[in-house]
């Protein structure tokens, strides 16, 4: 399955020509009678936003959208890869899956040719929430504290490490506590099994933690701290400084300088038909007003608020929809085509590595893959991102 999907990645290089063949009429939006979308656990920001978008599709097109909750990145992508879902409301795990690193470096996965439809950047941020009774005021105060990790979710774990890096800390400076899912990790914070958990400031579990006996705070990441942000970027290149004005304990009157990246990111596979992704994306764009207030963060899905030139390409079908909406440029075209090429390079490297009789031991397999990956990217004059 992986090799078949990866073999289709080069077709994305012709994405713009595929787009040109799509119907131009904005009114000619045809959605399937049923669709499945995966997201984080029930009550999380991604889940709630996906439900809001699904209600719009039901009201406008009669499409029944089923949102499937999943506790980690691997579980969110499995139904999509198996073609039991059309999209997933992902986070930074989109980037790790594309790159074939961490859990996605296992022989069952490899680089995934994921491509964006629409993503959200709103008044919230993605940050490390810390129990108020843990005695933490700045990120550096987390030294020796317990930090939650989620098994099978490299995005959440790497995001936590990026936040710790702002304070000059590494994984060795804290006590890692592993949980089975995102929801379980936040329950662990409430139950005093961990002191910190990563999430968006508007996620339901964070609000629950804020009202719990432990309380909740967000260690700030001031944009003026250039050295701190340089450390963040080394661990999580997809983060950017942003001031949160909404979320648990946060308001326009009580903003906090934190960090962010698009979330949720509605993604599809490169192999999914351009006309299908065009129709879904177009429906989300033209009916934005019908769901923008359905859940905190949904407002960030507006076509004019899309993050430009990110680390994962936009699907050809979504490019068509954004062009029609007037929110696409030649500069984005060039950047997007370069990312299509990157996915092709990664896919070919994975196929070649599989033919090289790699070791069966999981750790040795991953180590070998990371070396093969680095060599392929260097040969293509592309940045590694995981030196």
């Amino acid at each position: 399955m992986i090799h078949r999907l990866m073999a289709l990645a080069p077709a994305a290089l012709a994405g713009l020509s595929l787009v040109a063949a799509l119907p131009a009429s904005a009114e000619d939006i045809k959605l399937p009678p049923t669709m499945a979308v995966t997201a984080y656990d029930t009550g999380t920001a991604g889940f709630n936003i996906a439900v809001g978008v699904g209600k719009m599709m039901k009201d406008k097109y009669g499409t029944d959208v089923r949102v499937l909750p999943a506790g980690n990145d691997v579980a969110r992508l499995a139904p999509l890869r198996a073609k039991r879902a059309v999209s997933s409301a992902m986070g930074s795990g989109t980037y790790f899956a594309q790159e074939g690193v961490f859990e996605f470096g296992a022989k069952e996965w490899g680089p995934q040719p994921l491509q964006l439809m629409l993503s959200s950047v709103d008044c919230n941020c993605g940050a490390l929430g810390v129990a108020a009774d843990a005695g933490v005021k700045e990120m550096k105060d987390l030294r020796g504290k317990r930090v939650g990790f989620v098994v099978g979710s490299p995005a959440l774990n790497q995001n936590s490490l990026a936040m710790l890096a702002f304070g000059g800390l590494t994984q060795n400076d804290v006590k890692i506590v592993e949980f089975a899912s995102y929801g379980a990790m936040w329950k662990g914070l409430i139950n005093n099994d961990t002191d910190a958990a990563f999430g968006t400031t508007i996620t339901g579990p964070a609000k629950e933690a804020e009202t719990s006996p432990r309380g909740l705070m967000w260690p700030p990441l001031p944009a003026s701290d250039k050295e701190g942000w340089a450390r963040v970027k080394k661990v999580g290149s997809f983060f950017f400084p942003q001031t949160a004005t909404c979320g648990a304990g946060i308001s326009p009157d009580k903003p906090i300088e934190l960090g962010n990246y698009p979330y949720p990111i509605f993604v599809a596979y490169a192999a999914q038909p351009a006309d299908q992704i065009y129709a879904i994306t177009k429906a989300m764009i033209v009916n934005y007003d019908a769901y923008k207030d359905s859940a905190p963060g949904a407002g960030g899905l507006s076509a004019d608020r899309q993050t430009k030139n990110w680390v994962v390409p936009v699907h050809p079908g979504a490019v068509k929809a954004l062009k029609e909406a007037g929110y696409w440029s030649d500069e984005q075209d060039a950047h997007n085509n370069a990312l299509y090429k990157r996915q092709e390079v990664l896919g070919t490297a994975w196929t070649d590595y599989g033919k090289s009789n790699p070791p069966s031991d999981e750790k040795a397999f991953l180590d070998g893959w990371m070396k093969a990956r680095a060599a392929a990217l260097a040969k293509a004059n592309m940045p590694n991102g995981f030196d």
Side-chain angles (χ1 to χ4, degrees), residues 8-356:
L8 291 170
L13 292 170
L16 297 182
S17 61
L18 285 173
V19 166
L22 295 171
S25 173
E27 290 74 27
D28 190 24
I29 298 174
K30 299 187 184 300
L31 299 180
T34 60
M35 290 195 301
V37 177
T38 67
Y40 263 143
D41 300 311
T42 305
T44 61
F47 184 93
N48 293 341
I49 291 171
V51 169
V53 172
K55 183 179 184 304
M56 173 276 289
M57 292 181 173
K58 175 65 173 178
D59 294 342
K60 300 291 184 179
Y61 305 100
T63 297
D64 289 314
V65 178
R66 183 184 178 195
V67 183
L68 308 175
N72 59 50
D73 295 323
V74 170
R76 275 190 291 181
L77 282 182
L80 188 56
R81 186 178 68 168
K83 299 182 179 181
R84 293 195 297 269
V86 299
S87 179
S88 179
M90 292 285 288
S92 57
T94 304
Y95 174 58
F96 299 135
Q98 169 187 270
E99 298 297 312
V101 297
F102 303 120
E103 277 84 345
F104 294 106
K107 64 181 67 177
E108 295 82 7
W109 282 93
Q112 301 296 296
L114 297 176
Q115 298 177 1
L116 278 58
M117 296 162 63
L118 291 179
S119 60
S120 177
V121 174
D122 205 4
C123 57
N124 57 293
C125 284
L128 200 60
V130 179
D133 64 4
V136 171
K137 292 184 179 180
E138 301 178 57
M139 200 65 71
K140 64 182 181 180
D141 298 334
L142 278 165
R143 184 182 299 274
K145 303 293 185 182
R146 300 166 296 173
V147 176
F149 268 26
V150 175
V151 176
S153 189
L156 287 172
N157 304 339
Q158 195 71 6
N159 292 350
S160 293
L161 293 176
M163 297 295 95
L164 291 172
F166 184 88
L169 305 178
T170 69
Q171 183 171 339
N172 294 329
D173 297 314
V174 298
K175 300 173 183 176
I176 299 300
V177 182
E178 292 188 332
F179 296 91
S181 70
Y182 176 84
M185 176 177 64
W186 278 92
K187 286 290 185 184
L189 187 145
I190 294 171
N191 296 332
N192 201 17
D193 294 322
T194 189
D195 299 309
F198 186 90
T200 177
T201 57
I202 55 173
T203 189
K207 294 182 178 180
E208 185 180 354
E210 181 200 7
T211 59
S212 74
R214 298 196 75 192
L216 186 72
M217 60 85 65
W218 307 93
L221 285 73
S224 60
D225 188 339
K226 303 301 183 183
E227 292 183 359
W229 267 101
R231 292 192 294 269
V232 171
K233 290 281 191 177
K234 284 185 178 180
V235 182
S237 60
F238 43 85
F239 274 101
F240 48 80
Q242 182 176 313
T243 298
T245 57
C246 64
I250 304 172
S251 69
D253 295 331
K254 296 180 179 179
I256 303 177
E257 287 188 86
L258 296 170
N260 204 16
Y261 56 85
Y263 177 80
I265 304 166
F266 285 91
V267 301
Y269 271 96
Q272 289 177 248
D275 56 352
Q276 177 191 61
I277 303 306
Y278 165 80
I280 295 172
T281 308
K282 189 72 175 181
M284 293 173 69
I285 291 175
V286 302
N287 297 291
Y288 169 74
D289 288 342
Y291 67 81
K292 66 178 182 180
D293 299 318
S294 63
L301 287 170
S302 174
D304 63 355
R305 300 188 65 174
Q306 295 305 296
T307 301
K308 295 179 175 63
N309 299 342
W310 200 52
V311 292
V312 176
V314 180
H315 193 284
V319 170
K320 169 66 175 179
L322 286 166
K323 275 189 173 181
E324 287 186 354
Y327 296 105
W328 194 260
S329 67
D330 291 343
E331 179 190 1
Q332 286 174 275
D333 245 5
H335 182 85
N336 217 45
N337 287 335
L339 289 173
Y340 288 150
K341 179 64 176 178
R342 183 180 182 86
Q343 291 192 344
E344 179 188 3
V345 169
L346 288 168
T348 300
W350 178 257
T351 299
D352 291 345
Y353 181 60
K355 294 177 180 177
S356 68

